[in-house]
Amino acid sequence: MTYARPDPDALLARVQADTQRQSQGHLKIFFGSSPGVGKTYAMLAEAHERRAAGADVVAGVVETHGRRETEAMLDGLEVLPRHDLAYRGVTLAELDIDAALARRPSLILVDELAHTNAPGSRHAKRWQDVEELLDAGIDVYTTVNVQHVESLNDVVAQITGVQVRETVPDVVIERADSIELIDTPPDEVLQRMREGKVYIPQQAERAAQSFFRKGNLIALRELALRRTAERVDAQMQDYREDKAIAEPWPARERLLVCISPAPEAMRLVRAGRRMASRMRAAWLVLYVELPAHARLPQARRDHVLQAIRLAEQLGAETATRSAARAGDEIAAYARQRNVSRIIVGRPRRPRWKDALFGSVVDDLLRQVSGIDVQVITDEAEDTPPIAEVPLHPTSSASAYGWSVLVVAVCTVLASFTHPFFESANLVMIYLMGVLLASTKLGRGPSVLASLLSVAAFDFFFVRPFFTFAVSDVQYIWTFGAMLAVSLVFSTLTVQLRQRADSAAARERRTAALYALSRALVSQRSMEQLLRSTVVHVSETFECQAVLLLPVGGGRLQPWGQLSGWWGEGITTRMIFAPDASELGVAQWAFDHGEMAGHGTNTLPLASALYVPLRASRGAVGVLGVRAGDMRSLLVADQRRLLEVFSNQIGLAIERFSFADEARQAQVQVETERIRASLLSTVSHDLRTPLATITGASSSLIEGGPALPEDVRADLAQAILAESARLSRLVSNLLDMTRIESRAITVAKEWQPLEEVVGAALTRLDAQLAARPLDVAIPDDTPLVPIDGVLIEQVLVNLLENALKHTPEGTPIAIGVAPQAGAVRVAVADRGPGIPTGEEARVFEKFYRASGASLHGSGLGLAICKGIIDAHGGQIWAEQRPGGGAVFSFTIPLDGQPPALPAE
């Protein structure tokens, strides 16, 4: 086993990730193929082991589903009380995340990771609760079935015919520090179901007829085993990278198919797919781009594009690399990806070229150990050999002329130095010229310069002069060495230049991706996002672009035409409008999730190339690109870069969609809460006084003169009191509507607070008669600029709130205190006080503090806040020392009060 020095950058990234994870809790997932395999039981068994070892273990949420064996496992564990939420007349018990964070155990058990929380919970999904617990440094044990993994949702639906609605993102599964597979054979699961250990009998019968068929259980079991095996394989890869182990570990079969710009590339891909299918192995397709491939005609390079597209359609992972020698890059990639078998095509060039220049097969056999190399020959014996295709010259005629001029200049310089130096030393001048030609002019001119340099040196500076005859045989070796060194110089320099060009091209692609990612992240609206997308695509690929997004019925329409942002950084040079036929091509690409249009196998006569914008939930749109020279977009690197662009754009659009959905969900939740509160208000606060009025009125009518006078007076008083109560409720609703519509008008006048407080007390004189009342208004209290009617309403609401939520006979205090630039007014009581954490929420519409009775509409304090905000002041609630609550508000003293006449 060979250990090499790890990659410093990869090692640093791993150390940083490990450091970040150390501050977080550890997540362990008990993973199963279906309900009933024993995940919860296994989780509880390990929790008992941790508790016996001294860990602080708490059961946050454990769903026993009535199983006696599972319920018995809870004995001895602390169970965290759940948080009850009322939803549509049903009380739902969810994980109390605040209690869990306050309790802060070392380990908490949270069953059913994919569970959807009840509306009104802090998070929509239970896995979000788990993430908050992990971020707080608490270890979590949880359970999940394979059908709840987001990436496998469609596969499970295809197998079972049941669409699972509750899913967990794959990133949450990948975040787990440990995954334990709870594997139970299908026959045993079915037996457990028949015994009532999975569902109650009625549910078990329905499940056995649909989801819990033996074939489904076998398929789900295989999915769970494969998913677990993939994670184990990823852990092994991480270990090999940490230890920089070069030799592959063939723990599982992984095939690597190597293709080249040749017609047999498609056949190699198909052969690799068949072999991977027979072996049930993962497979990869690699194309190594050599410097010589840049000089191939477009038809030969199209073979690579078609083969890569075919491989992706057949499910392979594809990669493109640039290197000087294909064998070296293939061997390095195979070791990096832990490949067990390499598949290459049979060499098609003459054997003398393989002997002189080497072959890919020979390089692989020498460099890889522990990896099988399989050579695929022709399927038919009479397959004709591939004809040699002439390479396109990469240098112009002027470059060859410049190479001749460089040799001529070197000859002139050598003629001046010839009297002072030995002839052999003049070789250095020619070598410098060859180096210059190879750096600036390319391979062909540099080779020509090498040959001309040898010939010029022999003709001008070797006796006999001005002839190619050689009098001294030793010069033959000089000529040979000079030619060899010149050719090596030119070859190495050209290769270095090509690698520098490749590195520059990769740098440009990386910079383009970075610029696009930064632009997509920084946008605040969908319009800005799409505008930035068009600009980056058109500038990067030097083409025209169009974004087509689905509207009603999934039909695509060009977004630029719909939103009308022509001219705002977008010109007609950057965007084009597809016609009806082009829209049909784009629609096909959107519906099938594949490229279509020019240069593809689908509708190739289109004038543009249409790329689906893929995201986690499928295609979200289509990107269309059209250039003057469409061949520039069909080059392998450009096409792959375009696909990466489209994926990034699709994810960005989906991110905005998720944000919109989250906002809509939040609005819906808030609407449901307000609707429930409003219904509660209507059903109680309106029905109660109406029932009282109806009952008292009917008694007066039916009793008539026969009723005693005192009874009639009491009934009339009840009617009056409930009518006043009903009037206040309707008035509150109207006031809240005015405040929200900003229709409230504040008519400020300088007034003494004594009069406003007195008016409020007068309105509630009957209710306050049985309460001790303490009013403290200092004599030096200044006049305040207020709307007396509105501030009186604030005081009335605060006093009524104190009367409703405090016991009979408890005192109420009103205090006024001048402050710097303001006057503070406080209403204090000796009731139960405000629950901790709800001091600000009591001013929300229809909100009732936890533990409060249903008496009241939940609008009084909200109206107070709206009125005080309209006055430019502040209102707040706090606990009163010694028990009770204090509601305070301030009124700013803006301007100068009028001068009062002297007494």
Side-chain angles (χ1 to χ4, degrees), residues 276-326:
S277 179
R278 288 195 301 268
M279 301 171 63
R280 296 181 179 272
W283 63 301
L284 308 94
V285 174
L286 174 66
Y287 165 57
V288 179
E289 185 178 17
L290 303 178
H293 293 172
R295 295 175 287 157
L296 291 174
Q298 184 64 36
R300 290 284 297 273
R301 285 184 284 176
D302 286 343
H303 292 318
V304 176
L305 294 175
Q306 295 171 3
I308 290 177
R309 294 299 304 167
L310 177 63
E312 292 175 347
Q313 293 172 4
L314 295 178
E317 178 183 346
T318 62
T320 302
R321 296 288 188 272
S322 299
R325 293 181 63 86

Side-chain angles (χ1 to χ4, degrees), residues 736 739 842-846 858-867:
M736 196 70 246
I739 290 173
V842 295
F843 294 99
E844 297 178 3
K845 292 181 300 181
F846 303 112
L859 290 176
L861 295 180
I863 293 173
C864 293
K865 186 177 188 309
I867 293 174

Side-chain angles (χ1 to χ4, degrees), residues 866-881:
I867 293 174
I868 296 302
D869 289 343
H871 278 77
Q874 295 181 344
I875 186 170
W876 68 95
E878 56 189 346
Q879 303 292 348
R880 185 180 184 185

Side-chain angles (χ1 to χ4, degrees), residues 533-548 558 561 566 571-583 585-586 596-599 604-611 622-634 638 642:
T533 295
V534 170
V535 172
H536 277 82
V537 170
S538 61
E539 291 180 350
T540 301
F541 297 96
E542 297 180 355
C543 65
Q544 292 179 311
V546 65
L547 282 169
L548 301 106
Q561 294 180 1
W566 305 90
T571 63
T572 54
R573 182 182 58 83
M574 296 181 178
I575 192 169
F576 72 96
D579 55 20
S581 61
E582 296 286 318
L583 284 176
V585 179
H598 191 91
L605 297 181
S607 63
L609 176 63
Y610 295 93
V611 186
V622 171
L623 170 65
V625 290
R626 185 173 67 186
D629 183 9
M630 289 296 295
R631 291 180 300 177
S632 62
L633 296 176
L634 302 179
Q638 289 290 88
L642 184 60

Side-chain angles (χ1 to χ4, degrees), residues 18 152 173 289 329 406 434 497 511 514 516 518 585 769 879:
D18 292 342
L152 300 177
I173 306 294
E289 185 178 17
E329 187 63 28
V406 167
V434 171
R497 180 182 176 185
Y514 173 74
L516 176 67
R518 185 176 58 181
V585 179
Q879 303 292 348

Side-chain angles (χ1 to χ4, degrees), residues 157-231:
Q158 182 178 355
I159 293 173
T160 64
V162 177
Q163 185 72 43
V164 179
R165 301 299 179 186
E166 295 181 327
T167 58
V168 178
D170 290 60
V171 292
V172 179
I173 306 294
E174 294 166 0
R175 179 179 180 176
D177 300 273
S178 175
I179 294 181
E180 181 175 338
L181 177 65
I182 310 301
D183 184 35
T184 303
D187 291 332
E188 186 174 338
V189 175
L190 293 175
Q191 180 63 29
R192 288 172 55 84
M193 178 175 293
R194 286 190 290 268
E195 295 173 355
K197 297 180 179 180
V198 180
Y199 295 121
I200 60 178
Q202 295 82 358
Q203 291 178 333
E205 183 178 353
R206 291 195 303 269
Q209 295 174 357
S210 58
F211 190 87
F212 280 85
R213 294 194 297 267
K214 185 174 181 179
N216 292 349
L217 296 179
I218 294 174
L220 293 176
R221 187 186 187 195
E222 181 180 358
L223 282 177
L225 291 170
R226 286 186 178 276
R227 180 71 187 208
T228 308
E230 290 173 0
R231 177 177 175 83

Side-chain angles (χ1 to χ4, degrees), residues 26 38 64 79 102 141 183 204 257 278 306 337 344 350 378 389 422 458 486 550 615 651 705 715 805 838 842 853 855:
H26 296 281
T64 63
V79 179
Y141 280 0
D183 184 35
V257 179
R278 288 195 301 268
Q306 295 171 3
R337 298 304 305 270
V344 295
D378 293 337
V389 179
E422 294 290 334
D458 179 25
S486 299
L651 291 174
L715 291 175
H805 300 97
E838 300 186 23
V842 295
S853 66
H855 188 63

